[in-house]
Amino acid sequence: MPRLPERRTLPARYQAALARTHLEATERHLIRSRRCRREPWVENIELDHGAYRFELSCWWNDARWTKTVTVVEAAMLVREFIDQALADAQSNAVVPAPRAASDNPSPA
């Protein structure tokens, strides 16, 4: 199995899920020339000609729309996600404290 963090990628089945999560966090429809504050509901995802097509809806305002995320855009989202996860892991890494001198010398 290839080392996925080194390659900065994930299996294809996770790429659509990550794109979906990104859209839920960022995509909003307009209502009276203002962005809706509600998180949309993703109803359907399909892979069509090198792009993921998402059908979104806002049941608060009875709005429906589609959003397309290309496979290349999804791969960039995955790379950014992995970079952030690796940066978080490195910032949480703890450098071990120096060991106390022992009365018993270790055998050489």
Side-chain angles (χ1 to χ4, degrees):
M1 179 174 173
R3 303 208 51 185
L4 299 177
E6 290 174 2
R7 296 181 71 203
R8 295 172 52 207
T9 188
L10 292 172
R13 65 182 177 268
Y14 296 112
Q15 292 184 10
L18 193 58
R20 174 189 178 146
T21 302
H22 175 74
L23 288 179
E24 288 172 341
T26 61
E27 183 69 20
R28 300 292 185 265
H29 69 94
L30 294 178
I31 181 167
R32 295 186 202 107
S33 72
R34 295 172 66 181
R35 282 176 45 112
C36 179
R37 294 183 297 145
R38 306 288 182 178
E39 189 174 290
W41 178 261
V42 179
E43 295 184 21
N44 192 17
I45 304 169
E46 63 182 54
L47 181 60
D48 185 33
H49 301 291
Y52 298 104
R53 196 181 85 184
F54 296 88
E55 293 177 5
L56 301 110
S57 66
C58 174
W59 63 273
W60 288 92
N61 299 305
D62 195 29
R64 300 175 96 55
W65 69 102
T66 61
K67 181 70 176 181
T68 301
V69 177
T70 66
V71 173
V72 173
E73 291 170 329
M76 287 188 333
L77 289 170
V78 168
R79 271 188 242 113
E80 290 171 6
F81 173 78
I82 290 174
D83 288 346
Q84 183 63 46
L86 291 174
D88 289 347
Q90 288 177 352
S91 67
N92 292 332
V94 176
V95 176
R99 293 178 20 180
S102 173
D103 290 337
N104 300 333
S106 60

